[in-house]
Amino acid sequence: MSRLETAPEVLDDFDRFLDHIARFDVGSAPERIAEILQAVQILVNNPLMGRPVRGGKRELVIGRGSRGYVALYRYVPKIDTVFLLAVRSQREAGYKRVS
């Protein structure tokens, strides 16, 4: 089982989602965040599950459509750790702060 580490900036991503959901779908915020966290936990057992992207990073697609998200992460096999770097809505053009 791999270890999962979350970058502090991911909390900013969740705040952004919560702000959006509060304006358009007030009741679903806790459920939506729980869905994202549950999906990301899959990486603990399957760290290479996501599609490869530039820079040795990977993306895990979560859900679809207006309820869809994409989690950006890096798996470091040498220390068997998944680093969750950012999460965005599938409808967003890119990640807000990823180097």
Side-chain angles (χ1 to χ4, degrees):
M1 238 166 92
S2 301
R3 205 171 84 200
L4 178 65
E5 294 284 331
T6 303
E9 296 82 9
V10 172
L11 295 176
D12 295 335
D13 295 334
F14 287 155
D15 284 343
R16 193 174 68 254
F17 302 150
L18 291 172
D19 288 345
H20 178 81
I21 293 167
R23 283 185 272 153
F24 300 102
D25 190 10
V26 178
S28 74
E31 175 188 336
R32 299 265 253 339
I33 298 300
E35 288 171 0
I36 294 168
L37 294 174
Q38 183 179 16
V40 168
Q41 285 298 313
I42 291 170
L43 298 174
V44 170
N45 292 314
N46 299 295
L48 298 175
M49 182 175 202
R51 63 187 176 203
V53 294
R54 278 191 277 179
K57 297 173 187 156
R58 301 181 81 81
E59 289 182 327
L60 178 67
V61 177
I62 304 165
R64 62 177 186 230
S66 65
R67 294 183 70 101
Y69 298 91
V70 181
L72 181 70
Y73 70 96
R74 179 186 304 268
Y75 175 58
V76 181
K78 192 171 190 175
I79 58 173
D80 197 22
T81 303
V82 174
F83 293 95
L84 181 62
L85 305 173
V87 180
R88 67 173 173 85
S89 166
Q90 286 183 16
R91 293 183 175 191
E92 289 181 271
Y95 299 98
K96 300 302 177 199
R97 304 152 312 282
V98 176
S99 54

